[in-house]
Amino acid sequence: MKSVLPLFFLILSLPLCAQESAELPRHPFSIGPVVGFDFMTQEIRFGPEGADRVLSERDEVLPQFGLQAMYRIGAGLSIVTEPAFGSFFSGIDILQSTAQENRRLEAEKFHVLHLPLLLRKTLSEEDLAAYLIAGIDMMFLLAPEAALRYTAGGDLDAATPVVYDLPFSRMAVQAGFGVQWRRTEKLTLTADIRYRSVTDEIIGGDLAAIAFPSHVGVRLGLRVHFVKRKPF
C-alpha cells in the first residue's frame, strides 16, 4: 500500500488543462466541520527483534472531529487543511506470561492533534464528483504524563518499571479518494477514505514498544462556500 502513495502525488501534480467553469460563482475559499473514524491496528511488542519476541495485537476505532478549510488554486485543484482532534489510547494494561517471566506494558491515555496539509484534485465539475486527496500530516501527541511503563519479573507490582517517554510529534503521509456532493451554491458534502503511513510507526524501546502497522480513516465533511460579492 505504501508504494501507491507516490502515484497519488503524481496524479495530483498533473498540469491543469481544464478551464475554470463560468458556472461557479463561489469564492475559492470554503470552510466547515469534519468528523471521522480511524481504524487502527495496535501491535504490542515485547523484547528485541528475534525468535523470543512476544507480540499482541488489538484493533481500535478512534473518533476524530475538527475543521476543514479549502482554497481552490486552479481548475479542480485545491489546498486543504483539516485541524482535527482525537484520542489514541483509552489505556493499555497487558499482562503476558512466558516461560521466563511476566511482562506488563501500561500506556497513559493521550490525545492527538492533527495538522495536515493536503492537495485535493477534483475529477469533474459536476454536482456529484469524485476526488483524490494526498499530503502530509503533522501529529502532535498531547498528554500531561505521556509515557509507556514496562515491568517484568516474578512480582510485577514490586518491580521497578522502565519508562519510555512518548514523542512530542510524528509525521505521516496520507492519501485517499472520495466523493463530494454540491448540495447548493454554498454547501458541499464530502466523504472519503484514506490510508495513513506514519514515518516512524513505533513508540517505545527495545524492551517494549507499540507499533501501528495499519491505519485507515474515513472522513465526513460539510463545507460552506463564501459567495463572491457583486460590485456596487
Side-chain angles (χ1 to χ4, degrees), residues 48-125:
E49 294 284 354
D52 60 343
R53 166 165 283 193
V54 179
L55 298 179
S56 177
E57 287 190 357
R58 56 184 285 179
D59 295 324
E60 293 282 350
V61 180
L62 308 174
Q64 283 194 14
F65 58 92
L67 194 66
Q68 180 186 77
M70 190 179 84
Y71 190 85
R72 192 172 67 250
I73 59 176
L77 189 64
S78 304
I79 297 177
V80 180
T81 184
E82 294 175 351
F85 186 75
S87 296
F88 256 95
F89 292 104
S90 58
I92 289 182
D93 188 353
I94 292 183
L95 182 65
Q96 298 263 354
S97 296
T98 66
Q100 299 176 344
E101 59 185 356
N102 296 320
R103 304 179 182 186
R104 180 170 64 198
L105 179 63
E106 300 170 287
E108 300 279 351
K109 179 178 180 178
F110 62 92
H111 306 287
V112 178
L113 175 63
H114 296 267
L115 294 177
L117 183 62
L118 311 169
L119 280 178
R120 184 176 181 273
K121 175 64 176 178
T122 305
L123 302 183
S124 77
E125 292 289 358

Side-chain angles (χ1 to χ4, degrees), residues 22-224:
E23 300 178 356
L24 298 177
R26 302 181 309 281
H27 192 277
F29 180 73
S30 59
I31 193 171
V34 62
V35 296
F37 296 91
D38 284 338
F39 302 91
M40 180 187 303
T41 298
Q42 302 169 5
E43 186 177 82
I44 313 301
R45 302 178 178 181
F46 290 105
E49 294 284 354
D52 60 343
R53 166 165 283 193
V54 179
L55 298 179
S56 177
E57 287 190 357
R58 56 184 285 179
D59 295 324
E60 293 282 350
V61 180
L62 308 174
Q64 283 194 14
F65 58 92
L67 194 66
Q68 180 186 77
M70 190 179 84
Y71 190 85
R72 192 172 67 250
I73 59 176
L77 189 64
S78 304
I79 297 177
V80 180
T81 184
E82 294 175 351
F85 186 75
S87 296
F88 256 95
F89 292 104
S90 58
I92 289 182
D93 188 353
I94 292 183
L95 182 65
Q96 298 263 354
S97 296
T98 66
Q100 299 176 344
E101 59 185 356
N102 296 320
R103 304 179 182 186
R104 180 170 64 198
L105 179 63
E106 300 170 287
E108 300 279 351
K109 179 178 180 178
F110 62 92
H111 306 287
V112 178
L113 175 63
H114 296 267
L115 294 177
L117 183 62
L118 311 169
L119 280 178
R120 184 176 181 273
K121 175 64 176 178
T122 305
L123 302 183
S124 77
E125 292 289 358
E126 301 296 328
D127 289 343
L128 183 63
Y131 61 85
L132 303 175
I133 190 166
I136 61 173
D137 182 6
M138 288 302 302
M139 305 160 62
F140 296 92
L141 281 58
L142 309 176
E145 297 179 0
L148 301 179
R149 292 178 173 83
Y150 168 75
T151 310
D155 186 355
L156 295 177
D157 294 330
T160 301
V162 177
V163 179
Y164 294 110
D165 293 331
L166 296 182
F168 175 69
S169 65
R170 306 166 75 208
M171 189 178 74
V173 178
Q174 59 174 293
F177 62 91
V179 293
Q180 69 173 22
W181 179 32
R182 192 162 59 226
R183 182 66 181 85
T184 67
E185 183 182 89
K186 294 185 179 181
L187 297 178
T188 298
L189 303 176
T190 63
D192 57 58
I193 183 170
R194 305 175 193 176
Y195 175 82
R196 180 183 287 117
S197 174
V198 182
T199 54
D200 182 10
E201 66 176 19
I202 298 177
I203 295 176
D206 291 336
L207 298 177
I210 301 176
F212 309 94
S214 176
H215 198 168
V216 178
V218 175
R219 297 291 181 271
L220 303 175
L222 171 66
R223 292 202 319 277
V224 179

